[in-house]
Amino acid sequence: MSRITLAKGLNAGLRKAMEDDPKVLVMGEDVGKLGGVFRITDGLQKDFGEDRVIDSPLAESGIVGTAVGLALRGYRPVVEIQFDGFVYPAYDQIVCQVAKMHYRSRGRSPMPMVIRIPFGGGIGAVEHHSESPEAQFAHTPGLKVVACSNPVDGYWMIQQAIASDDPVVFLEPKRQYHADKADLDETATPEPLFTSRVVRRGTDATVVAYGPTVKTAMAAAEAAATDGTSLEVIDLRTLSPLDMGPVLESVRRTGRLVVCHEAHVNLGMGAEVAARVTEECFYSLEAPVLRVGGFDTPYPASRIEEDFLPDLDRLLDAVDRSLAF
């Protein structure tokens, strides 16, 4: 049993995957000697060598395109996109090659690749460093999209993503990298990768979140409990495919749902969750499904980002509106 941060969990998970399979490679900007800007790959190049932990040029399209070739040759590349806003130069490779290769080859050419993206805000960064692009990838057939929210999930989920024969966009909430610690039991049996999880039981309303907003949802549940309101919190964990089973079961009991994410509300993941719940649980709902997220503007300057990000007060306001309906 060890106590780890999310950053340490991801580092340990990458290390374990590289120890278990010599075909696993790590590549990206500054991932080698520097150990990544967030130190997620710290020490890996020293221990595994420059042939397996590769410092790439500042060229995201080239990084992902090279990884496509490596995957076709039997390797399992793990690509780091240094910041979420830097992924767009690689968008063509991801949606036109990575997502389609397996289908295009009629199953003959799997694409075992992980694209790691630190996402979300809250770190006081400049433009292009605090984006939430998950819906764009979840909307693309052929890609799997997951988001870890805590150190233990980070350790297990990165290994499971690397072991997958499908390409996985792996989203990491950057403001959680060094924020909280959790106990890791490396002998435990992890939950399957593409599953959601109830992280707090409740009876009055359901709150669904993923990545950085799981912590916000848990704080809201704690605050609501002091007023006698019992909130059930679900960590989606997987965005494509969505695991709606726990969400539907919960909503059928509580009759109310609030979905929270940092991304813009318009056409965000909350819209898909709301649509599916409305289709499956219409006669169980006591109130409309409500969404809490970023405003429909570009991500603001860091001095006002706290006004942009969904916080405890905005989430509790949505819960109050749902309960009052």
Side-chain angles (χ1 to χ4, degrees):
M1 187 78 73
S2 58
R3 195 155 178 81
I4 59 167
T5 61
L6 175 58
K8 289 294 185 183
L10 290 165
N11 180 274
L14 286 167
R15 179 178 296 277
K16 183 69 164 61
M18 296 183 76
E19 289 171 348
D20 290 347
D21 186 350
K23 292 290 189 179
V24 176
L25 309 177
V26 172
M27 55 193 300
E29 299 162 8
D30 298 319
V31 299
K33 288 183 172 61
L34 182 65
V37 293
F38 295 106
R39 304 300 185 266
I40 307 303
T41 55
D42 188 37
L44 296 183
Q45 189 180 77
K46 175 177 174 293
D47 293 338
F48 294 99
E50 296 184 6
D51 289 338
R52 293 188 64 194
V53 183
I54 304 161
D55 277 319
S56 70
L58 305 183
E60 287 78 12
S61 183
I63 295 169
V64 176
T66 301
V68 170
L70 286 165
L72 289 173
R73 297 294 292 176
Y75 290 92
R76 292 184 177 271
V78 182
V79 170
E80 177 179 300
I81 302 297
Q82 197 170 68
F83 283 91
D84 34 42
F86 298 176
V87 74
Y88 297 109
Y91 192 74
D92 174 56
Q93 289 283 355
I94 294 170
V95 301
C96 293
Q97 307 300 333
V98 176
K100 293 180 170 58
M101 190 64 72
H102 197 188
Y103 185 84
R104 181 187 299 146
S105 66
R106 298 183 182 181
R108 288 189 293 269
S109 298
M111 189 54 45
M113 179 194 308
V114 175
I115 302 171
R116 294 182 42 243
I117 306 177
F119 82 123
I123 64 168
V126 296
E127 190 178 22
H128 308 308
H129 290 67
S130 301
E131 307 295 318
S132 297
E134 59 268 22
Q136 298 176 55
F137 297 112
H139 186 67
T140 303
L143 296 177
K144 302 291 180 68
V145 184
V146 299
C148 58
S149 67
N150 62 76
V152 175
D153 271 357
Y155 174 77
W156 291 115
M157 290 173 69
I158 190 65
Q159 295 179 68
Q160 293 168 320
I162 292 169
S164 172
D165 285 333
D166 294 313
V168 179
V169 175
F170 194 93
L171 300 165
E172 304 165 5
K174 66 174 81 75
R175 63 169 152 156
Q176 288 298 112
Y177 274 146
H178 306 283
D180 302 307
K181 290 186 176 182
D183 292 324
L184 171 66
D185 180 1
E186 296 181 45
T187 66
T189 301
E191 296 177 54
L193 178 59
F194 302 111
T195 57
S196 55
R197 178 197 299 134
V198 177
V199 292
R200 182 185 174 108
R201 292 288 178 181
T203 57
D204 296 328
T206 303
V207 177
V208 167
Y210 58 87
T213 55
V214 173
K215 185 175 181 178
T216 307
M218 293 294 283
E222 291 284 348
T226 64
D227 291 331
T229 300
S230 174
L231 299 182
E232 182 146 303
V233 179
I234 297 177
D235 181 355
L236 278 182
R237 299 175 76 245
T238 174
L239 308 183
S240 180
L242 279 169
D243 176 26
M244 292 297 296
V247 179
L248 300 177
E249 190 277 331
S250 178
V251 172
R252 289 187 179 111
R253 284 188 291 102
T254 67
R256 305 173 194 277
L257 174 64
V258 177
V259 188
C260 182
H261 52 62
E262 285 191 15
H264 313 296
V265 169
N266 185 46
L267 297 178
M269 291 303 304
E272 180 64 22
V273 173
R276 294 203 193 184
V277 167
T278 302
E279 290 171 357
E280 298 289 336
C281 302
F282 183 78
Y283 291 106
S284 298
L285 288 168
E286 300 290 342
V289 179
L290 299 179
R291 294 169 291 161
V292 180
F295 301 111
D296 289 325
T297 68
Y299 197 88
S302 59
R303 67 181 180 275
I304 59 170
E305 70 176 342
E306 294 304 323
D307 297 321
F308 176 88
L309 294 170
D311 60 8
L312 182 146
D313 289 334
R314 284 172 58 195
L315 184 48
L316 287 178
D317 176 69
V319 170
D320 288 343
R321 285 186 286 125
S322 179
L323 292 172
F325 187 83

